């Protein structure tokens, strides 16, 4: 078999656009997922009547669905319900945020519970309100404790963004596939794609391990 | 200053941690609360600033009832300092920020005023050179002195101490007690849960002895150590003063 990797530099622009899309989606989904996940976790922990149950139901609902179904659902059904088309990027981003938030909220809830109750008591004792105590005392410690797990989840999300091919969004994998089919270089392009995903994810997970070691001290 | 009237508290339905506790602490008075472990003394002190809710009875601090619905509990807590057994300094902030955070976020002081106050209090507890360190870099005794400074930064009307020296190595107990003795000397109203009977003898105006959630004895400290009336207090004292 003769392999010709020159196809990669020849299409570097297209591939670069793809990888930017992958990172953009991952980044926005992480930020949105953590914000929504924090809200869900706080509702459950503060035991806000009704809202706590709604939050718990939300988490269980999304954790019971395959991600690809959520992507489909938002892309095909939401426009039907709203009566107007939604662009692929927005619909996929919302799907990721809604889905990831369910997982993040469980991580964040565990993180908050790992902070000793004495910390909350001490914050309340100097006169902080519950939201202040959460914001200045409990959450900063919780996020520090759960940073490694949040990052691990982010790596999984990075891989999962490749599912956007189902709605025709051009992320890195789709770009690689376009080149592969057009130039008939399937082996080269899918090898290249695998190497890129592996290098990024493996490096990131090494970073997480480093971080864990530093926090463990 | 602090007045408790027939305070009752249950954990669940069957376990009563506080039984009809009534107590008065006058302005400038130092009260030591002692008793065997599990007697409810820590719970009692935590009800004073509402950290532990009560089921019946009433508690007022400086004339304000903590059980009344219209009372702003957060505001009230900011005027009562509290020191915990395990220090509970905020580990993600340095010593100065630990003392500043309440001033900034609760009292709304300027950064400059809060820093000045923190520096003044650190000097007072003799920790000026540790101002930029994190709690984990300090010894237990040093951490507890920072915790006292954090409470004092709010310029409280009264200070509550929940076993402030129980988690300390023996050689560090005195540095904390010294700060407390000097506070008492300045006329701070204090309620102290402790087993340090030397401290009680030296600075307490009254000693309250608790057992099984009840206030068994509430006596002037000389009387308490001289001739405790209740058998349970006599037994407790003989156990801890033996050595």
């Amino acid at each position: 078999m003769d392999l010709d990797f020159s196809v990669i530099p020849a299409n570097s622009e297209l591939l670069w656009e793809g990888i930017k899309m992958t990172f953009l989606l991952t980044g926005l989904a992480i930020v949105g997922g953590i914000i929504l996940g924090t809200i869900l976790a706080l509702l459950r922990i503060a035991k806000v009547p009704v809202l706590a149950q709604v939050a718990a139901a939300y988490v269980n609902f999304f954790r019971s669905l395959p991600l690809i179904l959520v992507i489909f659902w938002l892309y095909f059904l939401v426009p039907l319900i709203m009566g107007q088309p939604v662009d692929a990027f927005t619909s996929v981003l919302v799907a990721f945020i809604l889905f990831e938030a369910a997982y993040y909220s469980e991580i964040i809830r565990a993180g908050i519970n790992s902070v000793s109750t004495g910390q909350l008591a001490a914050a309340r004792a100097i006169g902080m309100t519950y939201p202040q105590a959460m914001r200045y005392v409990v959450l900063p410690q919780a996020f520090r404790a759960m940073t490694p797990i949040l990052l691990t989840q982010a790596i999984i999300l990075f891989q999962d963004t490749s599912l956007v091919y189902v709605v025709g969004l051009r992320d890195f994998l789709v770009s690689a596939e376009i080149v592969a089919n057009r130039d008939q270089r399937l082996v080269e392009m899918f090898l290249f794609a695998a190497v890129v995903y592996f290098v990024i994810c493996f490096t990131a997970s090494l970073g997480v391990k480093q971080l864990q070691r530093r926090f463990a001290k | 200053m602090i007045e408790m009237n027939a305070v009752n508290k249950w954990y669940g339905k069957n376990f009563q941690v506080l039984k009809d506790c009534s107590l008065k602490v006058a302005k400038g008075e130092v009260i030591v609360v002692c008793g065997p472990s599990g007697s409810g003394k820590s719970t009692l002190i935590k009800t004073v600033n509402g950290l532990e809710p009560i089921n019946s009875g009433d508690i007022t601090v400086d004339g304000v009832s903590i059980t009344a619905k219209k009372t702003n509990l957060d505001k009230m807590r900011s005027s009562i300092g509290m020191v915990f057994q395990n220090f509970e300094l905020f580990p993600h902030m340095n010593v100065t920020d630990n003392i500043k955070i309440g001033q900034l976020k609760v009292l709304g002081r300027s950064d400059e005023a809060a820093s000045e106050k923190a520096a003044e209090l650190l000097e007072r507890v003799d920790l000026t050179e540790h101002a930029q360190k994190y709690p984990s870099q300090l010894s237990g005794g040093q951490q507890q002195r920072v915790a006292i400074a954090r409470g004092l930064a709010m310029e409280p009307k009264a200070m509550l101490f929940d076993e402030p020296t129980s988690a300390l190595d023996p050689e560090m107990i005195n540095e904390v007690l010294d700060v407390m003795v000097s506070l008492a000397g300045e006329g701070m109203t204090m309620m102290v849960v402790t087993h340090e009977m030397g401290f009680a003898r030296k600075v307490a105006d009254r000693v309250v002895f608790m057992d099984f959630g009840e206030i068994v004895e509430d006596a002037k400290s000389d009387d308490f150590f001289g001739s405790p009336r209740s058998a349970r207090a006599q037994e407790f004292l003989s156990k801890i003063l033996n050595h």
Side-chain angles (χ1 to χ4, degrees), chain A residues 116 118-119 121-129 132 136-137 140-141, chain B residues 74 77-78 80 84 88-93 101-102 105-106 150 154:
Chain A
S116 84
Q119 286 286 305
R124 299 303 303 274
I126 56 174
M128 285 192 193
T129 61
Q132 280 181 324
Y136 298 116
V137 175
Q141 294 181 59
Chain B
D74 298 317
R77 285 196 191 102
S78 73
I80 310 167
F84 298 84
E88 301 298 354
L89 292 178
F90 307 135
H92 56 303
M93 298 178 195
I101 185 85
K105 304 300 176 192
V106 177
R150 177 176 69 181
M154 310 299 284

Side-chain angles (χ1 to χ4, degrees), chain B residues 25 121-122 160 163 181 210 226:
Chain B
V25 186
L121 286 165
L122 281 175
L160 309 173
E163 305 209 31
V181 169
M210 287 186 78

